[in-house]
Amino acid sequence: MDMDKLVSLCKRRGFIFPSSEIYGGINGFWDYGPLGVELKRNIKDAWWRDTITSRDDVVGIDCSIIMHPKVWEASGHIGGFSDPMADCRECKGRFRADQLTYIRFDLAKDDSAETKPKTIYFFGSGNAVEVAEQNAKKIGKLQSSIKPGETLNRTDGDYTTLDTEAKTLFHCPTCGKAGTLTEPRNFNLMFESHAGAIADEANKVYLRPETAQGIFANFKNVVDTSRTKIPFGIAQVGKSFRNEINPRNFIFRSREFEQMELEFFCHPDQAAEWYAYWRKARFQWYIDHGIRSDKLRLRDHDPDELAFYSTATADIEYAFPFGISELEGIAHRGDYDLGQHQQFSGKDLSYFDEERWERDKPAMGMTSFKEYLKKNEGAEKPGYPYQYLPHVIEPSAGADRATLAFLCEAYQEDEVGGELRTVLKFHPRLAPIKAAVFPLVKKDGMPEKAEAIYRELKRHFNVFFDEKGAIGRRYRRQDEAGTPFGITVDGQSLTDDTVTFRDRDSCKQWRVPAAGAVQALRDLLEGKPIPGAESPATEIEESSN
Ligand code: GAP
């Protein structure tokens, strides 16, 4: 699948637009158009329903984007959520020093090359590699070039550790000048703002870089106000912001994006089991929603990739046209987050398992929990196993990355009725429009009948009405929008009050009584089989003319 084709279809059909396009766009920000917003909403709704409302053990929450700055100290985002960046003093370009690719060009020996270095070096990654090549050509005639892939980490050591003299050898990939890159400095990825009228340090706030911390900060509130008992989860869907240095690959890495995060709190003894459960369940979720190809993968982190507090993490990855990349991470986070917030806020965030205590205390001959604590005085966790900081399993997904993966997986080009078509084969649950209603021709009372059916369907589903142009062309437009079913009022409809249903993927057609259209569509959307799915039939000509 060609990424450029998908991006252009998304623009042309109103799925995704560059943000502020009339002003030339803004790097790392995207807008969802009428079809895109429905698609993303359906993904988030499916996640919400499957993760929260269809279960007994997960509740939802919606936290503010701006939180107390101490939250980000506790979470480690103020101290650690940063990348080492090197700036070009000349052109003001900015590069990630730990990910810079080492690009070497050998210049041909000619008269003009006498005074020039024989070999020149650049730093760069992604597009910078091509720009570097153009700049190298300006400096001299290229004899050979070694690009990209050799990172300094593997060859000469990290850029950050090179001595000053070595750094002067390198050229800026963007402007081509030598020795212009600064010492790398840590650049925090959080967007800053100020709450209140005075823009000073005391009023500094951050746009949240993840939704998870709102959940941890509200753990006690939820336990105290709802009947949640461990094991249980708190989930949130919402915007997050990261000042990514290199936003790229369409909506894959942007600076404003949406996350769908679940923090599942459990007893430390059960954490491994719950980790295994969510790792499997989340992977299956993508398969159930149409990512059936081997492009979907589940990759367990190697021990040296794990954060110090994590005993296991797995990434759900998708083979996008630009490479295999993460859609969602499932992390066993231990009690790290609640422990940090307990320490920074000074509030007790432990959980007391009253049921277990009530069950066990008679056998211990105790009447109060104070007695139990006294008995264990001096122990590392005197209240254990009744009072403890729960362990957390965190499945953390990106709504935009999921949208992109569903788009990539759905995109197909095939041939119908001798014509090439582009079709988005979305799972019906995710499809922005569930069905389109068409009068075959714009006469003989067909438009009126079709509109009446459309109005009835519209009360239940997001459906679309289209009476303009050849029927084949109207089908094609809906195929491209990913609409799973077409409903056509034709000549026969006027005599026997039936309509033709058409399936987007197989192009099969079958008749349904007009009065039963709502139920028929509901059945189809719920995955019931297409009537006569075995028999080959295309009754209404698919030609676009
Ligand atoms: N609370 C854990 C957390 O935020 P993460 O791996 O940094 O973990 C989780 O982010 C998910 O959020 C990623 O798997 C990805 O789907 C999405 N995500 C992260 N950064 C993103 C970005 N710049 N653009 C789009 N999605 C992003």
Side-chain angles (χ1 to χ4, degrees):
M1 206 269 300
D2 180 340
M3 198 62 196
D4 290 342
K5 279 189 182 173
L6 181 73
V7 173
S8 111
L9 181 138
C10 283
K11 172 86 201 299
R12 182 161 45 81
R13 293 308 311 269
F15 279 94
I16 297 159
F17 309 122
S19 166
S20 327
E21 200 182 6
I22 57 169
Y23 293 101
I26 168 166
N27 197 10
F29 298 90
W30 298 92
D31 294 338
Y32 285 76
L35 287 178
V37 72
E38 293 295 336
L39 173 63
K40 185 153 82 144
R41 183 173 291 268
N42 291 341
I43 292 168
K44 290 184 291 181
D45 285 352
W47 184 90
W48 190 268
R49 171 109 195 99
D50 296 345
T51 311
I52 304 164
T53 48
S54 70
R55 301 177 61 99
D56 300 327
D57 57 356
V58 181
V59 292
I61 198 168
D62 186 19
C63 307
S64 63
I65 283 172
I66 292 176
M67 300 177 72
H68 194 293
K70 273 212 148 181
V71 167
W72 309 113
E73 272 179 53
S75 69
H77 284 88
I78 285 183
F81 196 53
S82 57
D83 292 330
M85 305 303 299
D87 293 313
C88 173
R89 288 189 203 88
E90 200 65 32
C91 70
K92 311 294 175 217
R94 178 162 273 186
F95 312 93
R96 255 187 87 160
D98 60 339
Q99 278 187 1
L100 285 175
T101 304
Y102 161 50
I103 319 159
R104 198 186 91 194
F105 296 101
D106 292 328
L107 299 186
K109 260 196 182 165
D110 59 28
D111 295 345
S112 61
E114 286 289 303
T115 53
K116 296 202 165 124
K118 187 172 167 267
T119 301
I120 53 174
Y121 299 94
F122 284 90
F123 282 126
S125 54
N127 285 349
V129 176
E130 279 123 59
V131 181
E133 182 158 12
Q134 285 158 22
N135 278 314
K137 281 180 187 157
K138 281 187 210 154
I139 296 170
K141 200 164 152 239
L142 297 193
Q143 189 178 42
S144 66
S145 59
I146 299 172
K147 59 166 188 132
E150 278 183 275
T151 66
L152 278 176
N153 279 335
R154 268 181 277 143
T155 54
D156 300 349
D158 195 303
Y159 178 71
T160 49
T161 64
L162 286 183
D163 64 32
T164 315
E165 206 191 324
K167 279 181 185 134
T168 61
L169 284 177
F170 286 88
H171 295 241
C172 165
T174 306
C175 69
K177 299 259 164 54
T180 55
L181 294 183
T182 62
E183 288 292 329
R185 278 175 305 208
N186 276 340
F187 176 83
N188 196 288
L189 296 184
M190 281 195 293
F191 278 102
E192 291 176 9
S193 188
H194 294 92
I198 303 164
D200 63 6
E201 269 301 300
N203 288 334
K204 193 147 112 185
V205 289
Y206 302 92
L207 304 193
R208 67 180 177 201
E210 61 174 23
T211 59
Q213 298 305 323
I215 298 177
F216 294 125
N218 277 291
F219 171 71
K220 204 76 184 157
N221 279 339
V222 173
V223 170
D224 291 347
T225 56
S226 57
R227 299 200 168 187
T228 39
K229 284 198 193 93
I230 280 205
F232 78 96
I234 308 176
Q236 171 161 223
V237 173
K239 291 259 180 175
S240 292
F241 301 83
R242 296 183 191 176
N243 197 0
E244 298 282 358
I245 304 311
N246 195 5
R248 62 177 184 272
N249 295 329
F250 199 27
I251 54 171
F252 179 81
R253 187 180 303 288
S254 41
R255 290 177 167 147
E256 176 176 341
F257 55 96
E258 274 185 283
Q259 289 186 307
M260 309 185 288
E261 297 200 281
L262 165 67
E263 307 302 328
F264 196 83
F265 302 93
C266 53
H267 192 280
D269 292 348
Q270 293 180 334
E273 219 173 287
W274 279 109
Y275 170 74
Y277 169 85
W278 283 111
R279 178 183 170 280
K280 191 166 163 222
R282 290 304 307 148
F283 186 64
Q284 188 62 38
W285 188 83
Y286 291 95
I287 299 170
D288 292 346
H289 289 86
I291 306 195
R292 307 241 159 83
S293 71
D294 59 3
K295 291 191 180 127
L296 190 72
R297 306 174 189 185
L298 186 56
R299 185 180 70 81
D300 292 306
H301 281 208
D302 289 335
D304 60 353
E305 276 181 274
L306 295 173
F308 71 89
Y309 49 78
S310 175
T311 45
T313 296
D315 284 346
I316 297 172
E317 298 177 331
Y318 185 75
F320 290 99
F322 46 80
I324 300 172
S325 297
E326 176 191 327
L327 279 184
E328 168 165 355
I330 299 103
H332 182 325
R333 299 183 62 91
D335 62 4
Y336 175 74
D337 306 273
L338 288 178
Q340 286 291 103
H341 286 298
Q342 179 163 272
Q343 189 190 327
F344 278 73
S345 67
K347 302 276 174 354
D348 176 12
L349 298 183
S350 64
Y351 176 82
F352 181 59
D353 187 343
E354 192 157 359
E355 238 169 54
R356 187 168 180 171
W357 166 247
E358 290 300 326
R359 190 194 64 203
D360 292 358
K361 77 176 177 188
M364 291 188 275
M366 290 189 184
T367 50
S368 79
F369 190 61
K370 264 195 191 144
E371 262 183 82
Y372 183 81
L373 290 175
K374 195 153 175 39
K375 188 185 126 219
N376 292 333
E377 218 168 49
E380 200 192 332
K381 293 175 181 170
Y384 198 80
Y386 307 103
Q387 188 178 36
Y388 56 88
L389 276 184
H391 278 202
V392 169
I393 309 304
E394 178 193 67
S396 171
D400 308 85
R401 286 197 189 169
T403 303
L404 186 57
F406 285 121
L407 275 163
C408 288
E409 185 77 9
Y411 185 99
Q412 283 183 31
E413 289 169 358
D414 59 13
E415 211 185 289
V416 173
E419 285 179 31
L420 264 183
R421 73 162 178 170
T422 301
V423 54
L424 291 178
K425 294 190 172 176
F426 291 129
H427 187 286
R429 196 179 186 195
L430 305 183
I433 300 170
K434 305 303 179 196
V437 184
F438 313 109
L440 183 61
V441 288
K442 224 172 147 185
K443 58 181 186 189
D444 302 335
M446 288 186 210
E448 292 75 10
K449 192 168 177 61
E451 194 177 340
I453 293 168
Y454 162 74
R455 290 276 158 228
E456 182 55 24
L457 286 164
K458 189 87 179 155
R459 293 173 55 217
H460 307 269
F461 314 102
N462 189 22
V463 289
F464 187 76
F465 181 74
D466 187 5
E467 56 180 6
K468 289 199 197 87
I471 189 71
R473 203 170 306 143
R474 281 182 273 162
Y475 284 154
R476 275 330 148 261
R477 273 188 68 74
Q478 290 308 311
D479 291 342
E480 238 185 18
T483 307
F485 302 103
I487 301 172
T488 306
V489 169
D490 50 21
Q492 192 179 329
S493 310
L494 304 178
T495 54
D496 67 1
D497 214 18
T498 60
V499 289
T500 297
F501 268 57
R502 171 192 180 265
D503 174 56
R504 172 197 64 201
D505 299 349
S506 63
C507 296
K508 286 208 181 309
Q509 297 181 9
W510 67 102
R511 297 202 77 85
V512 170
V518 168
Q519 190 54 44
L521 183 57
R522 181 167 291 124
D523 288 348
L524 290 165
L525 294 173
E526 283 174 6
K528 301 222 169 103
I530 291 164
E534 300 313 312
S535 62
T538 298
E539 291 154 17
I540 295 173
E541 261 300 312
E542 294 257 342
S543 152
S544 311
N545 304 310

